Amino acid sequence: MSITTLGQFIIEKQQDFPFAKGELSRLLRDIGIAAKIISREVNKAGLTQILGEYGSVNVQGEDVKKLDIIGNETFIWALEKGGEVCIMASEENDDVIHLNGEYSKKGKYVVCIDPLDGSSNIDVNVSIGTIFSVYRRISEPGTDADVNDVLQAGNKLVAAGYVVYGTSTMLVYSTGKGVNGFTLDPSIGEFCLSHPDIKTPEDGKVYSINEGNAGEFPQGITEYLKWVKESDKATSRPYSARYIGSMVADFHRNLLKGGVFIYPPTAKAPNGKLRLMFECIPMSFLAEQAGGLSNTGSQRVLDVEPTEIHQRVPVVMGSKNMVEKVLEYMK
Ligand code: P6P
């Protein structure tokens, strides 16, 4: 049998952590369970006409919830039941989420989650994603965790990853020793290793940015975009614009094929739109683990010291040489 399931892979890699007693392995398994449930819900989203729109009561007399609410509740349920996590933060919740599972108070880990990023794309059948980060708690196991357990810089991450619900459902994660991708085989209900040891190309042909905001970009970004579009006859510069408007989908394509993803400051979002804790830190961790770079324009994203759960930062992330080129213009 040539397949390696996520569960088998996690156990195999547990040897990388001599002091690990399996808690992180079980936490990652719990995330995989939640992802499979959300994948099932996302893939029947198109049937809401039959199952009933959000806010309505479906044929079974149940309230139809928005998928991002279902996603949020599913991850909280899976991590509370799993007992390895003491506190969470979610893009869907203003404040931290204290987990009250039987073993949660002793949980060693903290999880930040964007349960369904890009959810506005669901009803037009565009790929969406879940993004997660895992930190070690700072407070003593057995005591009450608090927001200080959550507000940790990306350079303290234990693990991070995403699930992309696209033409297939993939889970991509890293525990700091490279990036591995798993594709869900619905016929056996298992994530199977399909993209071992992902390395992002140092160069790429794609730049991803919402040029609808071009009138508000900083000068350096405007100049970079001018450069990237100039048709240099000698090299017939090969760049293409690719922007789905769903960060996980844009990031995943650029991770595999090479490219740069940019969300700069704009007038309406002076710190950019993307959230540090739920989008920028986990994706920056993966970008770096795959050999790429990620920067706010003034510092490495993973070195930003968070001050507030929902704070936003500008981001330039992806292929090493492309990020460096953008940063040259931003200086
Ligand atoms: P804009 C989705 O709402 C999201 O948070 C990311 O997934 C995506 O990259 C970004 O916002 C798109 O933002 O302003 O270009 O529509």
Side-chain angles (χ1 to χ4, degrees):
M1 182 65 80
S2 61
I3 64 167
T4 301
T5 66
L6 174 64
Q8 290 166 334
F9 184 87
I10 290 170
I11 296 300
E12 279 167 21
K13 292 296 174 188
Q14 192 169 296
Q15 325 310 335
D16 291 348
F17 299 89
F19 307 107
K21 292 192 282 303
E23 293 98 336
L24 180 62
S25 300
R26 286 193 293 274
L27 196 170
L28 291 169
R29 177 208 58 197
D30 297 338
I31 286 178
I33 291 168
K36 284 191 274 190
I37 293 172
I38 295 173
S39 178
R40 178 194 65 198
E41 293 305 311
V42 165
N43 289 320
K44 73 182 182 189
L47 299 173
T48 46
Q49 311 306 333
I50 303 167
L51 301 178
E53 285 291 342
Y54 166 61
S56 68
V57 174
N58 66 18
V59 291
Q60 287 82 11
E62 298 154 346
D63 289 340
V64 177
K65 291 178 182 160
K66 273 179 78 169
L67 267 176
D68 38 12
I69 303 302
I70 292 176
N72 200 38
E73 291 175 352
T74 303
F75 269 98
I76 295 169
W77 160 80
L79 295 173
E80 191 158 64
K81 207 161 176 64
E84 309 298 346
V85 176
C86 58
I87 194 167
M88 283 177 71
S90 168
E91 203 255 3
E92 296 289 332
N93 294 58
D94 291 343
D95 297 321
V96 295
I97 304 159
H98 293 276
L99 297 190
N100 303 310
E102 193 180 342
Y103 305 101
S104 302
K105 207 162 179 175
K106 293 197 179 71
K108 286 185 179 169
Y109 294 102
V110 176
V111 169
C112 295
I113 191 110
D114 185 351
L116 222 45
D117 182 74
S119 51
S120 55
N121 292 302
I122 292 173
D123 48 14
V124 292
N125 218 4
V126 163
S127 300
I128 51 179
T130 294
I131 310 172
F132 63 89
S133 311
V134 183
Y135 295 93
R136 212 167 273 101
R137 76 184 291 173
I138 295 169
S139 56
E140 276 306 305
T143 64
D144 288 332
D146 66 22
V147 68
N148 296 312
D149 287 292
V150 170
L151 292 177
Q152 297 187 51
N155 54 37
K156 298 283 191 320
L157 273 177
V158 170
Y162 61 81
V163 184
V164 51
Y165 309 97
T167 41
S168 63
T169 293
M170 272 195 72
L171 187 148
V172 177
Y173 83 95
S174 170
T175 55
K177 293 181 181 289
V179 181
N180 290 283
F182 300 79
T183 300
L184 181 62
D185 177 345
S187 68
I188 57 171
E190 290 287 355
F191 281 106
C192 301
L193 183 62
S194 54
H195 296 67
D197 196 20
I198 297 174
K199 292 293 174 212
T200 195
E202 288 208 339
D203 264 311
K205 298 185 164 60
V206 162
Y207 63 97
S208 306
I209 187 169
N210 182 345
E211 293 202 64
N213 301 320
E216 306 168 13
F217 287 159
Q219 185 57 27
I221 295 293
T222 303
E223 285 168 11
Y224 170 74
L225 290 173
K226 183 171 175 298
W227 174 80
V228 88
K229 290 169 183 167
E230 274 159 12
S231 56
D232 176 339
K233 300 288 177 287
T235 60
S236 65
R237 187 172 287 113
Y239 295 105
S240 294
R242 290 287 183 276
Y243 192 72
I244 300 171
S246 182
M247 185 186 196
V248 174
D250 279 314
F251 180 88
H252 183 67
R253 177 204 54 241
N254 291 358
L255 181 76
L256 298 184
K257 303 287 185 195
V260 64
F261 178 93
I262 308 170
Y263 208 107
T266 64
K268 56 178 180 286
N271 289 318
K273 172 186 180 183
L274 301 178
R275 289 180 169 79
L276 173 65
M277 299 308 294
F278 304 112
E279 295 161 310
C280 298
I281 283 179
M283 299 309 240
S284 299
F285 182 71
L286 292 169
E288 291 196 1
Q289 283 294 313
L293 291 175
S294 183
N295 198 289
T296 63
S298 54
Q299 70 179 115
R300 181 178 176 240
V301 170
L302 295 186
D303 291 337
V304 175
E305 285 300 335
T307 53
E308 191 271 317
I309 297 177
H310 292 280
Q311 76 185 78
R312 302 164 195 265
V313 291
V315 68
V316 181
M317 61 166 61
S319 294
K320 180 177 175 298
N321 298 344
M322 297 185 79
V323 170
E324 286 172 345
K325 189 71 177 174
V326 178
L327 295 180
E328 253 176 59
Y329 279 97
M330 290 185 78
K331 278 197 175 57

